[in-house]
């Protein structure tokens, strides 16, 4: 933001073109328009790092949407990421994207803890031109490089709220107890993405912001609606840890109640568990009430979510689930396990229900009180945009010493 005196002089500047250059320079020097480096080496979650899938695009990733948020605010963005996630086809991006080759991949696995000499060289040679560096996660070698090379410009955006399970959590515990307090003590700050992430990382450093910033989304792709069909929706990869089988079984209990026997369940997504899930549906005589729609483009998924009474999530492991803010943005409440990073946000703002273990009783609650939950979602919609999240990151970063 500009100073009060500069704002008062805005009319004068416009009327005097010769002053325009001075005014534009003032804005840049006061961080109104910045050159931002976003460091996010891991673009996709890889279930099996020995069998890498083929990536068709990076434009559907969370960090790409966040980068667009900074762009829409008028900033210049460069995204630094790992070359292992480079799409198989050529893409045109809305900002600079640099893919860095991985080194020592047997030890620093690209799906978990990628390392790149090229990135270190790039950052050493170019960090001066960036006004702000936003690095994803404390437990990353890319982040460690930024913390050493340009700590005063570096903000760490922290998602993890527990230790990674690699090698019985030992590497993560050593990292957080040794690397974080020693090598990250001079960074600008750590901005947690959730309350649970803040509580976790605050155990190892005092450089943690009291404010949280979750990743934003393109809310224009998820039109808000309070007019719902008699349907519920699950959107995820069809793998074991997503717990879609539990969703179907809870839905079966709901279906047996006469008042709710007309409600349908939409299952969006694909994966190795699909055949098992279809068998559960068939065994419970739910074929007429459960529809598998496969993978959907974002605009089609957004429309289907906005028409549903609730988004159902039953994950046993995932923390940051992009479909949660997408659903809320569409005016659709969320029923989820309390493990997810946004669980406290959901309960506090009455955007659905987050519970350790939920059943058909919670489904009934959301169905019966759907207009109230839906209105709450619509009211908070603008706070979920990528622009809002990007501006909040900048505001927090600029207030830190």
């Amino acid at each position: 933001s500009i100073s009060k005196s500069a704002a008062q002089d805005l009319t004068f500047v416009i009327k005097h073109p010769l002053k325009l250059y001075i005014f534009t320079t003032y804005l840049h020097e006061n961080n109104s328009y910045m050159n931002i480096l976003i460091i996010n080496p891991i673009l996709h979650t890889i279930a099996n790092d020995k069998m890498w899938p083929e990536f068709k695009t990076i434009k559907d990733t969370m960090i790409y949407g966040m980068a667009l948020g900074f762009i829409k605010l008028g900033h210049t963005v460069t995204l630094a990421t790992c070359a292992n996630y480079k799409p198989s086809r050529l893409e045109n991006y809305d900002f600079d994207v640099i893919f860095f080759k991985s080194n020592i991949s047997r030890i620093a696995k690209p799906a978990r803890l990628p390392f790149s000499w090229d990135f270190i060289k790039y950052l050493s040679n170019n960090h001066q031109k960036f006004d702000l560096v936003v690095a994803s996660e404390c437990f990353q070698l890319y982040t460690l490089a930024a913390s050493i090379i340009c700590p005063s410009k570096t903000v760490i955006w922290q998602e993890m709220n527990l230790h990674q399970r690699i090698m019985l959590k030992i590497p993560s515990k050593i990292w957080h107890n040794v690397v974080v307090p020693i090598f990250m003590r001079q960074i600008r700050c750590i901005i947690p993405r959730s309350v649970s992430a803040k509580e976790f990382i605050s155990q190892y450093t005092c450089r943690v912001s009291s404010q949280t910033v979750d990743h934003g989304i393109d809310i224009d792709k998820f039109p808000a609606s309070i007019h719902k069909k008699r349907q519920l929706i699950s959107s995820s990869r069809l793998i074991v840890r997503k717990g879609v089988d539990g969703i179907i079984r809870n839905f079966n209990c709901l279906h047996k109640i006469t008042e709710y026997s007309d409600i349908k369940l939409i299952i969006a997504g694909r994966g190795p568990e699909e055949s098992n899930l279809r068998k559960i549906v068939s065994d419970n005589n739910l074929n007429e009430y459960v529809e598998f729609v496969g993978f959907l483009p974002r605009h089609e998924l957004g429309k289907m979510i906005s028409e549903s009474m609730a988004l159902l999530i039953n994950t046993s492991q995932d923390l940051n689930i992009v479909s949660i803010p997408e659903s809320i943005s569409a005016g659709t409440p969320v029923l989820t396990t309390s493990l997810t990073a946004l669980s406290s946000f959901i309960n506090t703002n009455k955007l659905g229900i987050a519970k350790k273990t939920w059943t058909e009783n919670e489904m009934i609650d959301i169905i019966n009180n759907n207009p109230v939950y839906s209105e709450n979602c619509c009211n908070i919609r603008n706070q979920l945009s990528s622009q809002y999240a990007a501006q909040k990151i900048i505001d927090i970063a600029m207030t830190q010493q």
Side-chain angles (χ1 to χ4, degrees), residues 1-273:
S1 59
I2 62 176
S3 67
K4 182 178 180 180
S5 60
Q8 291 172 341
D9 288 342
L10 178 59
T11 303
F12 175 81
V13 169
I14 294 174
K15 290 181 179 180
H16 297 78
L18 293 178
K19 300 287 187 178
L20 185 58
Y21 174 77
I22 298 175
F23 181 73
T24 304
T25 302
Y26 175 87
L27 289 178
H28 178 75
E29 290 177 350
N30 284 270
N31 295 315
S32 288
Y33 300 101
M34 296 191 292
N35 193 9
I36 301 173
L37 175 64
I38 299 178
I39 303 172
N40 196 111
I42 300 177
L43 295 180
H44 298 274
T45 300
I46 307 299
N48 185 351
D49 56 14
K50 295 181 180 179
M51 298 178 61
W52 278 76
E54 179 182 335
F55 302 112
K56 295 182 178 180
T57 181
I58 69 167
K59 292 185 177 181
D60 60 354
T61 61
M62 176 276 295
I63 202 64
Y64 193 93
M66 275 300 299
L68 288 179
F70 287 103
I71 293 291
K72 290 176 181 178
L73 292 172
H75 304 291
T76 301
V77 170
T78 300
L79 172 62
T81 189
C82 180
N84 297 72
Y85 299 90
K86 190 172 184 178
S88 56
R89 64 186 183 187
L90 185 64
E91 289 189 301
N92 293 318
Y93 300 124
D94 302 272
F95 45 86
D96 290 335
V97 179
I98 306 177
F99 295 93
F100 292 97
K101 179 182 177 181
S102 294
N103 303 116
I104 56 173
S105 297
R106 289 186 178 181
I107 299 175
K109 295 183 179 298
R112 300 289 181 266
L113 198 66
F115 173 77
S116 172
W117 283 117
D118 289 341
F119 170 73
I120 294 175
K121 293 175 184 177
Y122 171 83
L123 190 60
S124 298
N125 295 331
N126 294 278
H127 69 90
Q128 297 90 345
K129 73 178 185 181
F130 295 107
D131 302 301
L132 182 66
V133 176
V134 180
S136 183
E137 298 301 323
C138 287
F139 190 24
Q140 279 297 333
L141 293 170
Y142 277 64
T143 302
L144 175 59
S147 301
I148 294 173
I149 295 170
C150 50
S152 63
K153 296 180 179 180
T154 298
V155 168
I156 301 176
W157 197 24
Q158 176 74 13
E159 175 186 352
M160 295 300 297
N161 59 4
L162 43 76
H163 289 292
Q164 288 191 14
R165 298 178 181 179
I166 303 173
M167 296 177 62
L168 302 176
K169 303 181 181 179
I170 294 175
S172 178
K173 289 183 178 181
I174 293 175
W175 186 282
H176 284 87
N177 281 285
V178 178
V179 176
V180 171
I182 294 177
F183 295 100
M184 298 180 181
R185 68 181 185 277
Q186 294 183 335
I187 63 167
R188 184 168 286 270
C189 68
I190 296 174
I191 301 177
R193 302 192 196 187
S194 64
V195 173
S196 58
K198 180 176 69 174
E199 293 173 348
F200 171 72
I201 198 62
S202 294
Q203 300 175 72
Y204 308 102
T205 176
C206 62
R207 304 296 298 168
V208 183
S209 168
S210 60
Q211 301 182 64
T212 63
V213 181
D214 191 34
H215 68 273
I217 60 170
D218 185 351
I219 61 175
D220 294 334
K221 293 182 179 179
F222 296 86
S225 174
I226 59 173
H227 303 291
K228 308 295 185 181
K229 295 181 179 180
R230 297 277 288 179
Q231 69 182 34
L232 307 169
I233 187 168
S234 165
S235 174
S236 70
R237 287 183 296 155
L238 304 184
I239 56 179
V240 173
R241 76 166 190 266
K242 295 294 184 178
V244 181
D245 57 334
I247 291 177
I248 295 172
R249 291 188 174 94
N250 285 332
F251 176 76
N252 184 43
C253 294
L254 177 75
H255 179 72
K256 291 178 180 179
I257 303 173
T258 304
E259 186 179 351
Y260 307 100
S261 61
D262 63 314
I263 290 179
K264 294 186 176 181
L265 172 63
I266 306 297
I267 298 179
R270 59 191 176 199
E273 281 294 296

Side-chain angles (χ1 to χ4, degrees), residues 356-373:
K356 185 176 180 180
T357 302
W358 56 265
T359 66
E360 73 275 9
N361 295 324
E362 285 69 39
M363 299 168 80
I364 291 171
D365 185 329
I366 288 184
I367 292 169
N368 290 347
N369 299 289
N370 204 255
V372 176
Y373 283 118

